[in-house]
Amino acid sequence: MFYIIGPRGAGKTTIGKKFAESKGYQFVDTDKLILEKAGKSIAEIVEQHGWDYFRQLETDVLKSITQSDMIVSTGGGLVLAEENQQIMRNNGTVIYLNTNPEVLAKRLAAEPQADQRPSLTGKSLVEEIEEVMQQREPIYRATAHHIIDAAQPVDDIITQLNDLT
């Protein structure tokens, strides 16, 4: 099993789908599983129940993924829970898609999904990304078995991932 971690806009879903295709594995996105399970958008879940409730849903969904031939794209904040870090490290290979805040902001601005994920800080996109990354970067690095530069072309990233296995 491979877990793909990183911030919003890093390319976890895009890379995850192509990587799964290249390996003949199944692809699953934890955010999509949460949407299906809750029957609501992430924004609605957070608005109605709060971030702690949403984070617990992330852990529940992560625990429910048990097939070994899976590529799992995780929500950007899933790594915040130590339990989730341990689940991923103990059950598979963790890939961190790393890139700078400017690239992330550009990607997110190109494909806004405001209904999917509410702002964490209420600040501008670049400011929020910088602040969130300052907090999460050390966690992403500590959790990952491999760090991949997500600013590269998708095909180059897939080649690197396939070289790992």
Side-chain angles (χ1 to χ4, degrees), residues 1-84:
M1 186 167 336
F2 291 87
Y3 299 94
I4 302 177
I5 64 172
R8 287 190 302 162
K12 298 182 299 287
T13 300
T14 301
I15 298 299
K17 285 178 180 174
K18 287 201 180 262
F19 185 36
E21 203 175 283
S22 76
K23 292 193 72 59
Y25 280 19
Q26 288 187 305
F27 172 78
V28 67
D29 181 313
T30 60
D31 282 351
K32 282 211 171 39
L33 290 177
I34 290 168
L35 294 175
E36 289 167 13
K37 183 178 180 178
K40 304 174 187 176
S41 73
I42 292 169
E44 289 171 325
I45 294 168
V46 172
E47 186 180 307
Q48 293 170 15
H49 304 284
W51 279 107
D52 288 346
Y53 178 83
F54 173 72
R55 296 293 180 216
Q56 185 57 54
L57 286 178
E58 285 184 315
T59 300
D60 294 347
V61 162
L62 187 64
K63 286 178 177 175
S64 76
I65 302 166
T66 56
Q67 285 178 255
S68 60
D69 59 343
M70 298 282 276
I71 306 294
V72 182
S73 170
T74 65
L78 186 134
V79 298
L80 295 174
E82 265 188 60
E83 181 180 6
N84 295 347

Side-chain angles (χ1 to χ4, degrees), residues 103-131:
V103 170
L104 296 172
K106 193 171 159 185
R107 289 177 180 172
L108 291 172
E111 288 188 50
Q113 293 181 313
D115 65 316
Q116 292 296 312
R117 191 63 71 133
S119 169
L120 294 168
T121 63
K123 297 182 178 179
S124 78
L125 195 54
V126 174
E127 285 178 316
E128 177 171 308
I129 291 167
E130 287 173 346
E131 191 171 302

